[in-house]
Amino acid sequence: MAAKKREKDVLKPKKTFWHLYSLQTLSAEKFTKVVDKILNRDYGLIK
């Protein structure tokens, strides 16, 4: 049997730019957190 190679954990960069359509798929709790950070200019909004 061949041993399976385990992929290294790849860290993704923090999402700092949000598109209007991606905001629609978020839960209400996550949506409010993201919108608060957009209003504080921590995140950017792509139209």
Side-chain angles (χ1 to χ4, degrees), residues 32-44:
T32 55
K33 289 179 183 179
V34 171
V35 170
D36 186 40
K37 289 189 180 192
I38 290 172
L39 293 174
N40 290 330
R41 298 184 183 242
D42 294 335
Y43 290 167

Side-chain angles (χ1 to χ4, degrees), residues 1-7:
M1 246 188 214
K4 292 182 180 180
K5 290 184 178 180
R6 186 173 184 189
E7 294 183 23

Side-chain angles (χ1 to χ4, degrees), residues 4 6 8 12-17 20-21 43 47:
K4 292 182 180 180
R6 186 173 184 189
K8 294 181 181 178
K12 294 182 182 179
K14 186 177 176 183
K15 186 170 183 175
T16 57
F17 290 96
L20 294 174
Y21 295 117
Y43 290 167
K47 295 182 182 180

